[in-house]
């Protein structure tokens, strides 16, 4: 048996996921491998570095700091979430990311990005903390319209959720046969066609394959939900999803709102902890 953890994205909804994985760490539960998309990668990396509470702490601390995120950052840098400050200054100077613990942890960690030139997913295993590792995580979480294309190791990258929002099938294909899947939308949710596609076509006009991927993202996502549901019925995965819509938008500058969502995640983690142990035979 190979235990896998699959973390969907969802921007600030990812703080709900952060609450769940913090509880899993507190209960000394460690999968063999983890794959994260967008916020699932940005917050999930703290699982590999074994840093309980880090995600909610730095988000609340810098929620209203214009150096971290906001229109000022978008207008001056091209990124709503400031690339340099958020992914390189905070981990090195303020909320220190434990590179050594990340490197020592044998758990495999894959970040999912989208190649804007092909519209296809890119799966990057991140084994050792480095500048490029932080950049891969940034690329995975770089939402179209509010982020610059990330040029990294010969690729042009953006949000992994565009090409593979819930990478259960990929994780199974590389050998993880017992996956816990953390979703950030409730049961019954179906994604609709993106109403911002006219803006996307302008912003991404140099990347026609990315536009195609964005245009059919809702179809891909809903197909993946069906795949997850089938795997759940067959007992191949354990799905953790919120009971109702998570009460936070894609972007939030409200620390109390952030903490509320995080605590909801912690509550869900406590509800599921024994089921996770049984599923993974711990």
């Amino acid at each position: 048996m190979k235990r896998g953890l699959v973390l969907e994205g969802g921007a600030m909804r990812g703080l709900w996921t952060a609450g769940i994985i913090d509880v899993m760490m507190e209960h000394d539960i460690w999968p063999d491998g983890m794959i994260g998309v967008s916020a699932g990668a940005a917050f999930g990396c703290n699982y590999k570095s074994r840093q309980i509470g880090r995600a909610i702490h730095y988000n609340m601390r810098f929620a209203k700091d214009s150096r971290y995120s906001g229109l000022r950052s978008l207008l001056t840098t091209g990124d709503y979430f400031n690339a340099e400050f958020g992914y390189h200054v905070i981990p090195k100077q303020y909320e220190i990311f434990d590179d050594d613990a990340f490197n020592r942890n044998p758990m495999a960690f894959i970040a999912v990005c989208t190649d804007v030139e092909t519209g296809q997913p890119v799966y990057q295993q991140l084994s050792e903390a480095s500048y490029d590792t932080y950049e891969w995580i940034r690329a995975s979480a770089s939402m179209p319209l509010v982020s610059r294309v990330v040029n990294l190791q010969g690729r042009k990258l953006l949000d992994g959720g565009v090409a593979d929002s819930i990478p259960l099938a990929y994780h199974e294909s590389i050998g993880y046969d017992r996956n816990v899947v953390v979703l950030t939308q409730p049961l019954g949710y179906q994604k609709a066609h993106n109403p911002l596609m006219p803006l996307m076509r302008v912003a991404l006009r140099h990347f026609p394959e990315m536009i195609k991927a964005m245009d059919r993202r809702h179809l891909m996502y809903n197909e993946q939900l069906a795949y997850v549901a089938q795997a759940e019925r067959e007992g191949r995965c354990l799905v953790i999803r919120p009971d109702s819509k998570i009460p936070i938008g894609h972007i939030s500058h409200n620390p109390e709102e952030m903490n509320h969502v995080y605590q909801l995640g912690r509550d869900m983690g406590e509800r599921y902890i024994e089921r996770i142990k049984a599923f993974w035979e711990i």
Side-chain angles (χ1 to χ4, degrees):
M1 178 175 62
K2 202 171 181 182
R3 305 180 182 98
L5 178 63
V6 179
L7 303 180
E8 181 188 7
M12 297 309 291
R13 295 196 309 272
L15 291 174
W16 184 83
T17 301
I20 292 171
I21 61 177
D22 279 356
V23 169
M24 292 172 69
M25 284 193 277
E26 289 168 358
H27 285 264
D28 201 30
I29 294 176
W30 307 98
D32 300 305
M34 170 178 62
I35 187 167
V37 182
S38 195
F43 299 154
C45 64
N46 298 292
Y47 203 144
K48 185 167 169 60
S49 67
R50 300 178 181 242
Q51 290 180 273
I52 297 169
R54 181 176 177 272
I56 184 60
H57 193 242
Y58 76 73
N59 273 284
M60 290 179 64
R61 178 178 177 181
F62 294 103
K64 298 182 179 181
D65 192 323
S66 63
R67 294 174 299 171
Y68 179 48
S69 65
L71 289 177
R72 179 181 175 185
S73 175
L74 180 62
L75 293 173
T76 57
T77 72
D79 292 297
Y80 191 90
F81 290 93
N82 187 289
E84 182 62 24
F85 188 77
Y87 289 92
H88 299 288
V89 175
I90 288 177
K92 294 298 183 184
Q93 297 183 24
Y94 295 103
E95 300 286 339
I96 307 301
F97 189 74
D98 194 335
D99 290 353
D100 289 339
F102 184 94
N103 296 345
R104 289 195 305 270
N105 190 340
M107 178 178 67
F109 172 41
I110 296 172
V112 184
C113 302
T114 300
D115 187 317
V116 300
E117 294 181 312
T118 66
Q120 296 300 309
V122 178
Y123 306 99
Q124 182 67 26
Q125 182 159 337
L126 303 173
S127 301
E128 294 187 4
S130 66
Y131 184 92
D132 276 6
T133 290
Y134 297 152
E135 286 291 279
W136 277 105
I137 294 169
R138 174 168 80 92
S140 181
S142 289
M143 297 180 290
L145 289 185
V146 295
S147 307
R148 292 171 295 162
V149 170
V150 179
N151 293 282
L152 183 58
Q153 296 181 9
R155 294 183 182 269
K156 298 181 185 299
L157 305 166
L158 278 176
D159 186 353
V162 173
D164 193 350
S165 297
I166 311 169
L168 172 61
Y170 176 79
H171 223 214
E172 290 179 331
S173 76
I174 60 173
Y176 294 94
D177 54 351
R178 299 288 284 179
N179 286 281
V180 172
V181 180
V182 181
L183 303 179
T184 58
Q185 296 285 8
L187 184 66
Y189 173 81
Q190 289 282 286
K191 186 178 285 296
H193 187 253
N194 191 333
L196 298 178
M197 276 310 300
L199 288 176
M200 295 288 184
R201 293 182 195 281
V202 174
L204 299 167
R205 60 191 178 277
H206 300 301
F207 305 109
E209 295 303 318
M210 183 67 169
I211 292 173
K212 290 178 186 177
M214 290 292 302
D215 201 29
R216 71 170 310 276
R217 183 184 180 187
H218 64 299
L219 301 175
M220 175 272 296
Y221 183 87
N222 294 335
E223 288 167 1
Q224 290 189 326
L225 284 179
Y227 183 89
V228 169
Q230 181 64 30
E232 185 178 23
R233 287 191 294 270
E234 294 174 359
R236 303 200 321 268
C237 72
L238 173 67
V239 182
I240 306 175
R241 54 172 69 85
D243 294 325
S244 58
K245 183 178 179 180
I246 296 173
I248 196 168
H250 273 69
I251 295 167
S252 174
H253 297 281
N254 185 326
E256 290 75 24
E257 185 177 59
M258 293 176 179
N259 190 54
H260 176 62
V261 167
Y262 172 74
Q263 294 301 329
L264 290 176
R266 288 191 57 88
D267 292 345
M268 185 64 74
E270 293 290 355
R271 280 170 52 185
Y272 267 81
I273 205 69
E274 293 305 321
R275 275 181 268 186
I276 294 170
K277 289 179 180 178
F279 183 72
W280 278 344
E281 299 179 7
I282 295 175

